[in-house]
Every structure is written in C-alpha cells, then in structure tokens.
Amino acid sequence: MDRLEKLLEWGGIKKDIVLLIVSGLCLLVSLFPFSPLPVDPAWVAILLCGIPIVLEACIGLITRLDIKADVLVSLALIASVITGEIFAAGEIAFIMQLGALLEDLTVAKAQAGIEKLVRLTPQTARILRDGKELLCPAEQVVMGDRLRVLPGETIPVDGVLLSGQTSVDQSVVTGESLPVDKEAGDPLFSGTVNQFGAFEMQATKVGADSSLQRMIRLVQSADAGKAKIVSLADRWATWIVVAALTAAALTWLFSGEILRAVTILVVFCPCALVLATPTAIMAAIGNATRHHFLVRQGDALERLSKVTVLAFDKTGTLTRGKPRVEAVKSCLPSLSRQELFSLAACGELLSEHPLGKAVVESYRAEAQESPEEPQQFRMLPGRGVEAQVGRRRILAGNLSLLEESGVSCREGAKEAAPFAQTGCTLIYVAVDGVFAGFLALADSLRPESPSMIRRLLAKGLRPVLLTGDHTDTARTIAEKLEIPSFYSNCLPEDKLLHIRQWQSSGETVCMIGDGINDAPALKAADTGIAMGGVGSDIAMDAADMVLVGDAVEELPHLLELSRHMMTVIRCNLTFSMVLNFLAVFLAMAGLLNPVMGALVHNAGSVLVILNSAFLLRWKRKANKQPEN
C-alpha cells in the first residue's frame, strides 16, 4: 500500500484530526473558570496529544540516544504539569500535534501527483494459454506470455502488440496528452490504458522491470531526508536542546522562578528549525512532479541550485531522436520533387531500416496519404533497397548501390554536398537506371529546444553540447540552438572526461541525456537528468531525476525552482532561529509565561510549514501559462 494511503489510515491523518478536535474542545472548556468537571479538561489534551510525544522521545533517547525536539518538548510538558500549568501543558501538546499534522498534509500533497502512479498498478491480466483465456493476478505474468487486453482495460505489463489495432492513453508513462495509435509490432507500456479495440500482446518486461514499476521505484526513493542540509538542521537541533536546558537551569538559578525556566523550555524547542528544510524539499518535489520531473533524492534539488554548466546530449534530448526528411531534390527535369518523393517512399515502404521508415513516415505526413505498395521488393543490407513500383524500377540507398548498378551519380553528389556538410544523411534515388535525385534526412530539433536554451543563457548558465555525432552535425545543431560550445565524436569516456574537467575547475555540472552511453556522465555529474520518454533503463537508473514525457521546455522551471527552494529554506532557518532566541530573551525577562510561550513558538512552526507549502504552486513570474 502506498504512503498516501497509509497516511489516510486510522493510524495516520484521520486519527490525528480526531485527536486534535477532541483536544481542542477540551482546551476551550478549560478556559471557563467554573467548569462542572472534577478535573481540568486540559488533561485530555495532555493525554491524547502529549503522551505520544513523550513516548516517542523516550524511545528515541533510550534506544538510539537520539536527542531531538521531542526530548525538549517532553521536558516542557512535564515541567508545566509539575508547576500546575495544566492548560499550558495541554496547549503545548495540542499545537505540537497541529504542527505535525500540517507537516503530514504538506508532504502528502507534495507527493500526491506521483503517488497516483502506485494506484495505477494493474491488478489482473488475461493470459492466453492452451487456447484458453485465464484471468489471473498481474504479478503471475512471465516474460513471453501471450495476453489479451480489452477496451478500457489497463495494460498489465510491458510488451509488443501482436495482432489488432487500437489507441492507447500512455500519459502516465510518457506524458502525452492524446492517445497514441498502435498496430502490430508497436511497444506497449504497463499502466497505460487501452482506449478502443481489443488486441493481443506478448509480454517483454514483467514485475519490477516494467515501465510503471520503474516509475514507482523513483517515487519511493524521493526522500527529503537524504538532503545534506537536513542533516545540518538535525545537528543544530541537538545543540539547541543542550542550550535550552542550560539556559533554563541558569534562569531558574538566578531568578528563582521556575515558570521562567519552563517557558524557556517551551519556546526553545527547535521544531520550526527541524521542519524548515524537509517541508520545503518535499513541497519542491511535488512542484517538480507537476512539471513532469520525478526527483529521486532531495539533495538533487539542492545540488541543482548551484549548477553553472549544463551538458546536453543531442539525440533524443535536444532532438526528437528520429530522422526526418529535411529536403527532396529532383535532378531530372521530367520528374517533379513530389513525384521523386512518392517513388522513394513506395520503394522504402517494406523496408525495416530506420531511414527507410523515416522516408515513409515523412511522406505520409506531407502528402496525407500512404505510398503505393511495390510489386517487387528486395532489401540490400548496408546499401539500400531495390523495388518495382508500377512500371518503374527504383533504387534507393547510398552511392555504392547506384554505382554498382551502373548509375552515374557524380553531378548528384556535388549537389548533395552542402547537405552532407550540415550533418544530413543522404539517400540517392535512381529511376529506371538513371540518377533521379536525393533525399536529405536529419534528426529534427524538438520545437521547444531553442526557447529553452535561450532561457538558460538569459539566466547566466552555460549550456554545452556533448554528442557522439560527427563535427558537422554537432556544429549545425549548436548553431541552430545558439549553444556557445560543443564537443563532437564523444565516446562515453569522453563525456565523462569533460564533466570531470569542468568539476576540477570549480564548475557545478548538470548532465541531461537519454542513452546507455550517457549513463557514466549522468552518474558523474553533480546532477543527472534522464529523458524518461525515450531514455534507456540504464540512463534512468544512473540519473538523479527523470524527465517524464521529455518535456525539455520545463528544464528552466526546474532550475529556478531549485534556487527558489534554497531561498525558502534559508528564510525558514533564519526565521526559526531569530524567533527562538527572541522568545528566549523575553522568557528570561519574565515577559512570556508558558502559555504565551507555547503560542509564540508553535506559531513559528506553523508559519514555516505554510511558507514551505507555497512551493507547491510556485512558478516563474514570466510563465503566465496555466499549470496542468
């Protein structure tokens, strides 16, 4: 059962709310001087809200020697009871539990967006065995099983569509807002929803290896307690407990008034200090989730706030990761550009090569129709394809293929040279033994990449392109995006070397990538961000954060959010320290009694939590678009 459901159980938020309502009513009754009850009703608040605090403090102190806020709160409660300040003791316990409830609500809301993934875990699957359909728990599916999925059902495991056609809502995995059409051979992801037709699929990833389970593991590892600054707050809390006990003892010794000492114990509790960091981190994680980021560690946001260099992989990160026809050039006066494009698409229709598929997809997108199926087709590995389309014989591939067939391509190669220099991949086409023209293909930029890079540059950050592509391709992409520097022909060890060199010169580096070859760099960088939609499993495991749906336009928001989070944490810490010391001086001077001290101290804790909660809805001032 996920954490949000646990919080909502009787042992979680619901119980706390009931206890607080009963305790609050009893405290109100306690205010009346002529209460008909034989004992002060404030005792109810002490028993219901105070006893759990004392027990937790004793357990931590005895079993772990853990001197934290609960120890000081317990001492304040006990001292108030001994001195007869029953209402003050009840008020302390009540407001402490109220602060704890607000923290739980903040954390629960912060994680609500990603916790939805857990509830989407498929429970059943229709397995086809021996000609029969068996409805069984999804965890019983093994790799290679044949499954049937009906309209409206959740796909139980990752797999490949075998037969049938449908549309799948896969927003839970990729963030796409529209259903995606699927046909035989297309991949399917667990947790996504079949929209229309029934289909059969074969399981390829099951259990913990499935897409949804990987996302769930990321959710479960989003732990604010890993942040370095949280540990610092804990160390401060321990010293504050010692300082509080010393101040209370000295005040009692010199003033002879135990109420002043009790008040010091009440106001010196470091609750606001302890709450200052984790509530801000968890709220920032919740905000990041709403902008398509899954944060694996709280300290990743802290490290991201200090980044000066952003190293980008090219393919699948700044580009779509799929080639597209950028230009079609006919070299025959009798053959129009559109006719050449149509013949090339017909010739490539049955090709399994990624470039052939890209030609067909680009033609469909432009012509709004499917190319004619060839009467004859032959795949020539490493060279291209040969096909018969109507009465025409088509050759489409590299120069070697055409030259081996006796087709002269000298003039065509000259015309194609400018495209090759910009990093395009060329497919030369011959029709009936005569050179007809060429198609230039390139990995297209994500439309949001240019504006994203401009926003990073405007913030004083330094984007750098690290790619394994050739120099011409890298230069073209860098110039289009106005990235000031690039490194081409990078092997995985080269990317790692560049990152370590920047780090050794004092830079803080964030790496953004998607492939297996990016994993070492993602791991070595101060902060690694993997592209969750097209990224490899290894890249996502190596990264600190995952960008679901590959919405790179959200990267500037994440960077500014991390900086704003650190500002909120510093404000929280400063405010809590100043308030504590101010209240201590007032208590030492006798201007605060235990009741007023409890109100002042716990009001500070509530203000810290509320200040952190604003991070949940924070957005850049320049971003006027409504948030999803």
Side-chain angles (χ1 to χ4, degrees):
M1 185 178 294
D2 59 57
R3 184 177 179 223
L4 186 59
E5 290 177 343
K6 288 181 179 178
L7 284 172
L8 293 177
E9 286 182 339
W10 178 253
I13 288 179
K14 285 186 177 180
K15 184 193 73 173
D16 291 341
I17 291 175
V18 172
L19 295 182
L20 285 170
I21 291 174
V22 173
S23 300
L25 291 175
C26 291
L27 286 173
L28 288 176
V29 174
S30 178
L31 290 174
F32 295 99
F34 302 107
S35 173
L37 298 175
V39 295
D40 193 330
W43 275 105
V44 175
I46 296 173
L47 295 174
L48 295 181
C49 297
I51 294 299
I53 296 174
V54 175
L55 289 176
E56 183 68 25
C58 292
I59 292 172
L61 191 61
I62 295 172
T63 61
R64 302 185 301 271
L65 293 177
D66 194 13
I67 304 176
K68 294 295 174 64
D70 285 347
V71 175
L72 191 53
V73 172
S74 299
L75 291 174
L77 282 170
I78 295 170
S80 297
V81 171
I82 292 175
T83 57
E85 296 289 339
I86 305 302
F87 182 82
E91 183 187 33
I92 293 170
F94 174 79
I95 299 181
M96 286 300 299
Q97 290 293 0
L98 177 61
L101 175 64
L102 288 175
E103 181 191 7
D104 285 343
L105 289 172
T106 300
V107 171
K109 187 175 181 182
Q111 288 200 338
I114 47 181
E115 291 284 359
K116 292 177 183 177
L117 290 171
V118 181
R119 295 196 293 274
L120 290 174
T121 302
Q123 300 299 314
T124 59
R126 300 176 185 273
I127 303 178
L128 302 177
R129 289 176 183 166
D130 302 325
K132 297 180 179 179
E133 179 181 302
L134 304 176
L135 187 64
C136 59
E139 59 266 22
Q140 293 183 8
V141 177
V142 298
M143 193 164 59
D145 273 348
R146 192 181 183 100
L147 311 174
R148 178 176 289 131
V149 182
L150 301 181
E153 290 185 341
T154 300
I155 297 173
V157 296
D158 287 14
V160 176
L161 194 148
L162 296 176
S163 63
Q165 292 182 332
T166 186
S167 292
V168 176
D169 178 1
Q170 54 187 37
S171 58
V172 66
V173 174
T174 66
E176 294 168 291
S177 58
L178 298 176
V180 178
D181 293 335
K182 299 287 185 178
E183 58 186 19
D186 286 343
L188 302 167
F189 306 105
S190 65
T192 58
V193 181
N194 180 23
Q195 296 289 292
F196 304 116
F199 62 83
E200 294 182 7
M201 62 175 287
Q202 185 174 33
T204 57
K205 290 183 179 180
V206 300
D209 294 329
S210 67
S211 301
L212 185 60
Q213 291 301 317
R214 290 203 314 271
M215 294 296 180
I216 291 173
R217 288 200 299 274
L218 290 174
V219 172
Q220 293 170 339
S221 63
D223 181 9
K226 295 180 181 178
K228 297 175 184 177
I229 196 165
V230 172
S231 299
L232 177 63
D234 286 342
R235 289 197 297 272
W236 286 2
T238 301
W239 286 109
I240 289 172
V241 169
V242 176
L245 292 174
T246 303
L250 292 176
T251 299
W252 187 11
L253 178 65
F254 287 102
S255 69
E257 296 183 22
I258 193 171
L259 280 180
R260 294 192 186 187
V262 171
T263 305
I264 290 174
L265 293 178
V266 171
V267 300
F268 223 146
C269 293
C271 302
L273 178 66
V274 174
L275 294 174
T277 300
T279 53
I281 289 178
M282 296 309 296
I285 289 175
N287 186 308
T289 301
R290 296 172 60 246
H291 288 266
H292 310 291
F293 288 93
L294 293 182
V295 183
R296 301 181 67 178
Q297 301 180 34
D299 66 333
L301 285 172
E302 180 190 357
R303 286 182 267 116
L304 186 65
S305 68
K306 304 172 185 176
V307 160
T308 55
V309 174
L310 291 104
F312 288 91
D313 172 51
K314 179 186 79 70
T315 305
T317 304
L318 296 172
T319 65
R320 295 184 183 274
K322 294 183 179 180
R324 187 178 68 177
V325 175
E326 297 290 336
V328 179
K329 175 68 175 178
S330 174
C331 298
L332 290 177
S334 60
L335 193 68
S336 69
R337 172 196 176 279
Q338 187 61 28
E339 289 174 326
L340 176 65
F341 199 1
S342 175
L343 289 172
C346 292
E348 296 280 9
L349 183 63
L350 303 180
S351 173
E352 293 297 322
H353 194 281
L355 291 179
K357 292 181 177 180
V359 171
V360 174
E361 290 177 5
S362 297
Y363 177 79
R364 284 173 174 162
E366 179 178 308
Q368 297 297 307
E369 63 180 16
S370 294
E372 177 186 346
E373 185 171 336
Q375 286 77 35
Q376 297 179 9
F377 174 82
R378 186 161 65 104
M379 187 82 178
L380 304 170
R383 292 180 293 170
V385 299
E386 180 181 5
Q388 186 74 27
V389 180
R391 295 183 178 181
R392 293 181 166 179
R393 176 173 170 266
I394 307 298
L395 284 176
N398 55 27
L399 286 174
S400 299
L401 171 63
L402 272 64
E403 290 173 351
E404 289 174 4
S405 302
V407 178
S408 175
C409 305
R410 185 175 302 174
E411 294 301 321
K414 289 182 181 179
E415 290 194 47
F419 293 96
Q421 292 172 358
T422 62
C424 289
T425 300
L426 300 173
I427 295 179
Y428 298 92
V429 182
V431 179
D432 296 330
V434 179
F435 179 75
F438 62 86
L439 283 68
L441 293 88
D443 187 3
S444 60
L445 283 174
R446 295 181 183 274
E448 59 272 14
S449 292
S451 61
M452 181 268 294
I453 294 295
R454 286 195 296 270
R455 286 162 60 188
L456 295 178
L457 289 169
K459 295 296 178 182
L461 298 167
R462 182 158 68 96
V464 179
L465 180 62
L466 292 180
T467 177
D469 281 337
H470 297 300
T471 302
D472 290 337
T473 303
R475 180 183 295 109
T476 300
I477 294 296
E479 289 176 352
K480 286 182 178 179
L481 294 176
E482 301 179 7
I483 295 178
S485 57
F486 68 90
Y487 299 87
S488 58
N489 301 302
C490 289
L491 297 173
E493 54 267 31
D494 298 323
K495 294 182 179 182
L496 189 62
L497 178 62
H498 287 305
I499 286 176
R500 287 178 173 169
Q501 287 175 341
W502 290 322
Q503 289 172 330
S504 63
S505 63
E507 303 278 10
T508 304
V509 184
C510 174
M511 175 70 193
I512 303 99
D514 73 299
I516 294 175
N517 63 321
D518 296 320
L522 289 167
K523 199 72 174 177
D526 296 280
T527 306
I529 301 177
M531 307 294 285
V534 298
S536 71
D537 296 352
I538 295 177
M540 286 190 279
D541 288 341
D544 299 297
M545 308 180 195
V546 175
L547 178 51
V548 181
D550 302 333
V552 294
E553 70 274 12
E554 296 288 0
L555 185 58
H557 171 85
L558 183 69
L559 288 159
E560 293 184 40
L561 173 66
S562 66
R563 293 180 176 181
H564 186 66
M565 181 197 77
M566 295 305 298
T567 300
V568 170
I569 289 175
R570 294 188 193 100
C571 290
N572 285 346
L573 292 174
T574 302
F575 170 77
S576 60
M577 293 295 293
V578 169
L579 182 66
N580 272 12
F581 282 108
L582 179 62
V584 166
F585 287 129
L586 293 175
M588 295 175 69
L591 299 177
L592 280 182
N593 58 34
V595 174
M596 292 302 299
L599 284 173
V600 170
H601 168 262
N602 288 286
S605 297
V606 172
L607 289 175
V608 162
I609 294 171
L610 292 177
N611 188 44
S612 295
F614 287 128
L615 278 168
L616 285 166
R617 303 293 298 181
W618 180 85
K619 61 181 179 180
R620 296 166 50 254
K621 292 182 180 179
N623 185 12
K624 300 299 184 182
Q625 292 85 2
E627 296 182 320
N628 294 329

